[in-house]
Amino acid sequence: MKVIIRKEAHEASLWAAHYIADRIREKAARTSKPFILGLCTGSTPIETYAELIRMVKDGEISFKNVISFNMDEYVGLPKSHPESYWSFMHKYLFDHIDEPAENIHILNGNAPDLEAECAAYEKAIEATGGFDLFLGGIGEDGHIAFNEPFSSLKSRTRVVTLTEDTRIVNSRFFDNDMNQVPAQALSVGVATVTDSKEVVILAFGPKKAKAIHDAVEGPVSHMCTVSALQLHEFGTIVCDEAAASGLLPESRAYFAAVEAVENR
Ligand code: GLP
């Protein structure tokens, strides 16, 4: 695992955007196969998306040959609801880039058969040959996508029940009323994410410090599902200082040394 730490979330967001752009360009230079990208929602990736949009507009990168799959979606929230992840992704990314509409995949939380929707999503991912890169955020309890504590680290796309804590945290987008936050969601599983060739996780702000400590320095545990990244060959966590504040000084020194040596 690598941990990239920047003073401010802004710098960390730019690092992530440029990293993703490099990966997309690098694949495009060696093959005509599409780049398969996993995407997340939440306030954390917004600046990364803004930089990717800028790069598309300035001709530095194209999403024409990118196929994306989003991590999760609330159950029962209309697609047109401003807080649906469908609305979020179009507002903050898809409406501003050149990714063809047919390449965009978002779970349908209003599907008549939710189990079938989840199974079809896994099949569609598999049919692409698998993710090149999965970009994720984390919840305050260390959940990746909506894989709450006690989710199997081998889980696949399925219907999940949100914890009360997550509904309280997410109620900031629902008039601060947790009862308006759907109780369930569709979510890719932990293994759906960790099957990706590469995983990049963003975490900003002091509220993520405990989760980052648990993920990086704690045991691999279903109590903090992002800790599954410890078993991944190419996992990178990108933090600001505040989110990294729970890490030991010696861990931080090592991660900084790795970066310095690799950039020499
Ligand atoms: C929700 C999403 C997660 C996201 C998390 C963090 O729980 N399902 O995928 O990582 O929120 O959101 P934020 O970035 O706003 O802190």
Side-chain angles (χ1 to χ4, degrees):
M1 178 190 287
K2 283 185 187 175
V3 181
I4 304 288
I5 304 169
R6 292 290 180 271
K7 194 162 185 289
E8 305 291 342
H10 176 66
E11 302 159 66
S13 300
L14 294 189
W15 187 95
H18 289 254
Y19 188 80
I20 295 165
D22 284 348
R23 296 269 75 78
I24 293 173
R25 281 191 290 242
E26 181 269 323
K27 186 166 184 182
R30 69 180 153 80
T31 171
S32 58
K33 285 188 186 158
F35 190 88
I36 315 302
L37 178 64
L39 292 171
C40 61
T41 53
S43 38
T44 308
I46 289 176
E47 276 199 82
T48 295
Y49 291 160
E51 178 64 1
L52 287 170
I53 292 168
R54 185 202 62 73
M55 284 191 266
V56 169
K57 293 204 163 139
D58 290 348
E60 295 171 23
I61 186 188
S62 171
F63 276 71
K64 281 204 177 108
N65 202 23
V66 171
I67 297 180
S68 66
F69 290 83
N70 261 82
M71 286 187 147
D72 44 18
E73 179 59 285
Y74 291 113
V75 165
L77 204 62
K79 207 169 154 181
S80 58
H81 189 288
E83 295 307 331
S84 78
Y85 288 166
W86 192 95
S87 297
F88 176 96
M89 286 309 298
H90 284 79
K91 178 174 173 190
Y92 289 106
L93 187 64
F94 298 141
D95 285 351
H96 315 283
I97 61 173
D98 56 353
E99 181 172 347
E102 64 272 20
N103 288 7
I104 295 170
H105 300 82
I106 302 178
L107 283 154
N108 177 6
N110 294 293
D113 182 342
L114 295 173
E115 305 288 343
E117 169 72 10
C118 294
Y121 207 66
E122 283 283 334
K123 277 229 150 37
I125 293 167
E126 202 185 312
T128 66
F131 288 109
D132 290 295
L133 188 151
F134 215 125
L135 176 71
I138 55 168
E140 291 176 19
D141 57 8
H143 69 231
I144 172 124
F146 265 134
N147 293 289
E148 299 284 29
F150 312 117
S151 294
S152 164
L153 301 185
K154 290 191 165 178
S155 52
R156 293 277 160 193
T157 306
R158 68 209 185 288
V159 182
V160 295
T161 298
L162 306 187
T163 62
E164 192 173 303
D165 284 350
T166 293
R167 290 176 73 205
I168 291 169
V169 169
N170 289 6
S171 68
R172 69 193 191 281
F173 302 117
F174 291 85
D175 305 326
N176 290 316
D177 174 8
M178 75 162 266
N179 296 312
Q180 288 184 42
V181 183
Q184 288 193 306
L186 303 185
S187 175
V188 295
V190 178
T192 318
V193 176
T194 54
D195 268 1
S196 175
K197 293 187 188 78
E198 187 169 357
V199 181
V200 175
I201 299 294
L202 305 176
F204 305 148
K207 290 182 177 167
K208 303 288 168 73
K210 182 181 181 304
I212 290 300
H213 160 75
D214 291 349
V216 178
E217 295 175 335
V220 174
S221 164
H222 64 177
M223 293 302 289
C224 171
T225 54
V226 71
S227 68
L229 209 58
Q230 292 179 24
L231 300 175
H232 198 285
E233 261 185 305
F234 298 105
T236 304
I237 294 183
V238 187
C239 298
D240 63 358
E241 279 288 346
S245 62
L247 296 177
L248 293 166
E250 47 271 43
S251 310
R252 297 177 50 140
Y254 181 69
F255 294 128
V258 168
E259 228 193 307
V261 169
E262 288 186 357
N263 291 338
R264 259 209 304 249

